[in-house]
């Protein structure tokens, strides 16, 4: 079952440019990982230092392998230095179960 992973981060003003470059490098690494399907970076229209990274993985297992990857952990430690507060990570199942209202159409 595919999953979408949403990681939300808010960066310190003076650290944003460096953090954004790190995120792009991290995305490049992610694209090479087994199970990676797609990703995008969203920048808040109301809080421009707040980013949400959305990635799609073929399974939660593949996401967890990437999450535990040592190279990813190195990038995460660098990014933490630029954060205004802790990042949040949410994992969503894709197509696990259709909501009841779908059958009403």
């Amino acid at each position: 079952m595919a999953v979408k992973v949403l990681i939300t981060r808010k960066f310190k003003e003076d650290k944003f440019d460096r953090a954004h470059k790190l995120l792009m490098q991290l995305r490049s690494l992610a694209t090479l990982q087994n199970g990676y399907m797609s990703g995008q970076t969203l920048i808040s229209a109301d809080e421009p230092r707040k980013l949400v990274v959305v990635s799609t993985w073929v399974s939660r297992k593949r996401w967890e392998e990437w999450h535990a990857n040592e190279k990813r952990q190195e990038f995460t430690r660098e990014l933490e230095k630029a954060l205004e507060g802790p990042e949040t990570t949410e994992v969503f199942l894709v197509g696990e179960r259709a909501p009841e209202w779908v059958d009403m159409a």
Side-chain angles (χ1 to χ4, degrees):
M1 174 67 47
V3 297
K4 286 207 179 271
V5 179
L6 281 67
I7 302 174
T8 305
R9 299 176 179 101
K10 186 170 182 181
F11 294 101
K12 298 172 187 171
E13 190 169 349
D14 62 331
K15 305 288 184 184
F16 182 81
D17 289 338
R18 171 76 176 131
H20 193 262
K21 288 177 186 172
L22 286 170
L23 284 173
M24 295 305 104
Q25 292 172 358
L26 186 57
R27 159 91 51 74
S28 293
L29 273 176
T31 64
L32 303 173
Q33 302 309 304
N34 190 12
Y36 178 87
M37 295 173 68
S38 65
Q40 65 184 143
T41 301
L42 309 174
I43 300 174
S44 171
D46 297 322
E47 295 180 68
R49 292 181 291 118
K50 182 179 179 180
L51 277 70
V52 177
V53 173
V54 181
S55 60
T56 307
W57 296 81
V58 297
S59 67
R60 187 172 195 152
K61 180 179 186 261
R62 295 296 183 215
W63 154 248
E64 289 172 351
E65 288 171 354
W66 170 237
H67 188 262
N69 179 288
E70 182 56 38
K71 195 70 172 166
R72 183 189 183 283
Q73 294 299 318
E74 289 174 25
F75 273 93
T76 299
R77 286 188 291 274
E78 284 302 309
L79 286 168
E80 285 174 348
K81 297 174 185 176
L83 289 175
E84 197 168 275
E87 70 180 34
T88 61
T89 302
E90 298 176 276
V91 178
F92 295 87
L93 302 175
V94 177
E96 174 73 7
R97 183 175 147 197
E100 291 179 19
W101 58 266
V102 170
D103 293 330
M104 297 171 56

